[in-house]
Amino acid sequence: MLEKVCGAVFGGPLAGPAGRRNVQRVAGWTSGPLGVGIRTDSFSSRLRLLKSTSMAISRNPRTLPCAFLLISLFFSSSSALFSPSDNHLIACGSSSPATVEGHRVFQPDATCRYSHLHSYGPRISLSNLADSSLLPSPLHATARVFPRPASYEFHIMEKGAHLIRLHFYPFSSSEYELSSALFHVSVGGFSLLANFSTSVPVLKEFIVQVDTESIFINFIPAQDNTIAFVNAIEVISAPADLVLDSGSLVKSDKVEKFEGLSKQSFETIHRVNIGGLKVTPFNDSLWRTWLPENEVSVKLDASDSETKSFSGRINYLKSGASREVAPDNVYQTARVMDKSSHNMSWEFSLRPDNRYLVRMHFCDVVSMALNEMYFNIYINGYLINKDFDLSYVTGQLAAPYYIDFIVDTGNSGSLQITIGSSDISKPNWVHGLLNGLEIFKMNKTDAGLDGEIPIGLLTEGMVRRGVGEFLMSLPCGFAFAVLLMALVALVMKLRTESRNSLPLSRLPSVVLEGKSAKGGYQMVSKVEI
């Protein structure tokens, strides 16, 4: 019915490939390279689609019923978009808003109404001298530099997990060389980055739990002669299903259930679109970037595998992954094994002696029927899931699913993920696949994600204005208290000595005189000796 009603709007029937692409556009996505679905569900994209539909209807009034259908799809798709309660985007050091990905507007930090900058020293705004048209992003045009500790305060409307993204683009100016900066970053008393420095553009992403009405992101120079800087900051409410509470803890001898995962904090280390192309923030409802395998520092051993793409619809289930967990583009591509008795593996070099959350994304977009793909999952050589059957956990084809594993890296820091064929798989079946992979560093202690920072530097709301800036510094506050006590003691001593040395004299006598003041009398005292 949809094809018959809407065929005339797009100039022909919808039964062919072109028609199907147009229906896909109405539904909120269109086909991109290799058949990968590219979302067109931004407000501006749908608005352009409705405008073109309106023009088509004006040429052919018989297509009027399709207008109502398109309008209903327009608003239903709009309501389905993720809309975070907290969506704080600031361009640090900028004097004007910066727009990225076509519709995301970063407000200047000096005038933003939902954040406030507290500084213990100068707040220096730098402008990149390079041609703005050559910069990777408008956010790289300016930076805020801190020679002394500083904090950004953000007001929080919804408590819970939040995404924090910090943009660093170390450019040079006549005053500062940002690549020489060395500093710490914390959220309240929780360390995010310790002794951080970068000479290349980098985006640091964290997931933290917020249980207060405001949070402070602190930037602290590591030494007296160093600086801290930041180009842009994002603070966004995370969807409730982004990190669930339980996962599987991988040990050398067994796999056991891990509880309390949703209360942890994470730093994103790798986000990979296995078998697919790069996914930009424009095509991700949480504005993430998914890199292809050839742009990630990974050792890939998959000579007997191939990449597959799928142009159909992804069936998101309530019991499975949502679009906020991973977008269509990730689940519509995969690296698969067509031969039995083979493996494909990905080996990452991570920081030794840390704990990581490894999230593996699966979506069977290659099997011809249910229960026709079984495979084994290994981590660091340990078999952690034998004869895994996606059909059993999803009940459908093209239905996304993910598994969270918690892994402790040893002294080597090596993490190897392997998909192996199953003994019960048949020769003409697909023998395994993987669609996406995410690796997050977890906090092993309450101190933070990246080492420990002296506790005096991590005080909540560490820096304030005016006298508050002075008093919130522990050393200065202590010195002030000692100085005040010494001053009081000196005054008391002088008063005591003054009384003891006062000579004897005749007490003064007070004589009261009356003085006229507008028809009355005003009493004036006169002292006589």
Side-chain angles (χ1 to χ4, degrees):
M1 183 63 182
L2 177 64
E3 296 180 359
K4 292 180 180 179
V5 173
C6 297
V9 174
F10 300 104
L14 298 184
R20 283 194 295 272
R21 283 196 296 270
N22 288 325
V23 172
Q24 291 166 1
R25 288 180 63 197
V26 175
W29 58 279
T30 185
S31 294
L34 301 180
V36 177
I38 299 177
R39 297 187 66 184
T40 60
D41 51 7
S42 69
F43 182 83
S44 59
S45 300
R46 289 193 299 273
L47 196 59
R48 288 193 297 270
L49 180 60
L50 288 182
K51 184 177 180 180
S52 63
T53 303
S54 176
M55 294 174 63
I57 292 173
S58 65
R59 293 193 299 266
N60 187 354
R62 289 180 301 172
T63 60
L64 184 61
C66 186
F68 295 101
L69 176 60
L70 289 176
I71 291 173
S72 63
L73 286 172
F74 172 83
F75 286 106
S76 63
S77 181
S78 298
S79 61
L81 292 176
F82 175 66
S83 180
S85 299
D86 297 309
N87 190 20
H88 305 323
L89 313 175
I90 63 170
C92 303
S94 177
S95 59
S96 60
T99 302
V100 298
E101 285 100 40
H103 62 284
R104 303 186 72 205
V105 180
F106 285 68
Q107 298 295 336
D109 59 353
T111 59
C112 186
R113 67 180 185 276
Y114 45 74
S115 67
H116 186 71
L117 174 58
H118 305 287
S119 178
Y120 187 64
R123 310 172 188 180
I124 302 171
S125 174
L126 286 187
S127 295
N128 197 333
L129 300 179
D131 186 353
S132 59
S133 63
L134 302 178
L135 296 176
S137 168
L139 301 178
H140 298 159
T142 61
R144 184 70 70 178
V145 177
F146 307 109
R148 303 289 296 276
S151 292
Y152 282 98
E153 179 184 6
F154 292 90
H155 301 290
I156 300 301
M157 296 184 62
E158 181 181 11
K159 297 178 181 179
H162 280 67
L163 288 163
I164 295 178
R165 297 191 181 110
L166 306 175
H167 298 253
F168 300 105
Y169 186 78
F171 59 81
S172 301
S173 72
S174 58
E175 302 174 9
Y176 292 98
E177 181 66 45
L178 297 186
S179 60
S180 64
L182 182 66
F183 55 98
H184 314 302
V185 181
S186 67
V187 173
F190 190 83
S191 169
L192 299 181
L193 298 170
N195 295 310
F196 174 74
S197 180
T198 181
S199 58
V200 297
V202 63
L203 170 64
K204 289 290 186 177
E205 181 187 85
F206 307 90
I207 303 174
V208 299
Q209 291 293 324
V210 179
D211 56 5
T212 56
E213 295 181 353
S214 63
I215 63 170
F216 292 82
I217 302 179
N218 307 314
F219 295 86
I220 310 154
Q223 301 171 5
D224 292 338
N225 59 345
T226 61
I227 59 172
F229 81 96
V230 63
N231 299 84
I233 301 176
E234 303 177 45
V235 178
I236 305 170
S237 301
D241 63 342
L242 184 62
V243 180
L244 299 181
D245 198 56
S246 61
S248 299
L249 177 61
V250 179
K251 295 187 174 182
S252 58
D253 57 342
K254 61 180 178 179
V255 177
E256 60 184 32
K257 191 173 183 180
F258 183 94
E259 297 288 354
L261 192 61
S262 62
K263 303 301 181 183
Q264 304 293 313
S265 296
F266 306 91
E267 178 188 354
T268 304
I269 305 299
H270 293 294
R271 183 173 283 127
V272 191
N273 184 20
I274 303 294
L277 302 177
K278 182 178 181 178
V279 181
T280 64
F282 181 81
N283 295 313
D284 187 293
S285 59
L286 287 184
W287 309 283
R288 294 164 296 197
T289 297
W290 299 72
L291 295 176
E293 294 161 290
N294 61 354
E295 293 187 24
V296 179
S297 298
V298 58
K299 181 181 179 181
L300 175 63
D301 183 8
S303 57
D304 294 317
S305 70
E306 60 179 331
T307 59
K308 297 284 187 178
S309 62
F310 173 70
S311 59
R313 179 183 177 183
I314 299 298
N315 301 313
Y316 289 94
L317 307 176
K318 290 184 177 180
S319 58
S322 67
R323 274 192 176 91
E324 281 63 59
V325 172
D328 292 19
N329 304 52
V330 171
Y331 292 122
Q332 288 175 324
T333 59
R335 183 172 292 279
V336 303
M337 289 193 307
D338 286 333
K339 297 180 181 179
S340 60
S341 303
H342 288 83
N343 297 331
M344 54 182 182
S345 64
W346 298 260
E347 186 174 351
F348 298 86
S349 295
L350 306 175
R351 180 176 292 184
D353 299 320
N354 270 274
R355 172 164 289 183
Y356 293 88
L357 169 64
V358 178
R359 174 169 290 182
M360 304 175 70
H361 295 268
F362 302 98
C363 187
D364 188 354
V365 293
V366 294
S367 295
M368 301 300 296
L370 292 173
N371 306 111
E372 288 190 356
M373 181 172 59
Y374 297 87
F375 56 92
N376 301 326
I377 303 174
Y378 304 83
I379 291 184
N380 289 338
Y382 299 109
L383 177 62
I384 58 177
N385 204 318
K386 183 176 175 59
D387 302 327
F388 181 59
D389 179 13
L390 269 174
S391 299
Y392 177 79
V393 294
T394 62
Q396 294 186 34
L397 294 178
Y401 186 79
Y402 70 91
I403 307 177
D404 284 341
F405 296 105
I406 295 89
V407 182
D408 291 318
T409 57
N411 295 331
S412 66
S414 176
L415 174 65
Q416 186 182 62
I417 298 164
T418 304
I419 302 294
S421 58
S422 169
D423 293 336
I424 63 176
S425 181
K426 294 185 178 180
N428 60 328
W429 291 354
V430 175
H431 300 282
L433 94 169
L434 184 62
N435 304 76
L437 183 63
E438 294 178 276
I439 301 175
F440 305 89
K441 184 165 65 173
M442 297 174 58
N443 59 302
K444 294 186 67 173
T445 67
D446 294 334
L449 287 164
D450 194 10
E452 297 184 2
I453 305 174
I455 190 64
L457 298 178
L458 298 180
T459 307
E460 184 76 22
M462 177 182 52
V463 287
R464 300 280 185 177
R465 290 182 174 180
V467 177
E469 295 178 353
F470 180 73
L471 294 179
M472 288 300 290
S473 171
L474 183 60
C476 293
F478 178 76
F480 177 78
V482 172
L483 181 62
L484 182 61
M485 293 175 62
L487 183 61
V488 171
L490 180 60
V491 171
M492 294 296 294
K493 181 179 180 181
L494 290 176
R495 289 185 61 183
T496 302
E497 292 177 353
S498 177
R499 288 197 188 99
N500 294 337
S501 61
L502 185 66
L504 294 176
S505 61
R506 184 168 57 89
L507 293 177
S509 59
V510 180
V511 179
L512 298 180
E513 295 181 348
K515 183 178 180 181
S516 175
K518 294 185 180 180
Y521 284 91
Q522 176 181 352
M523 301 307 297
V524 180
S525 64
K526 180 180 179 182
V527 180
E528 295 182 349
I529 302 297

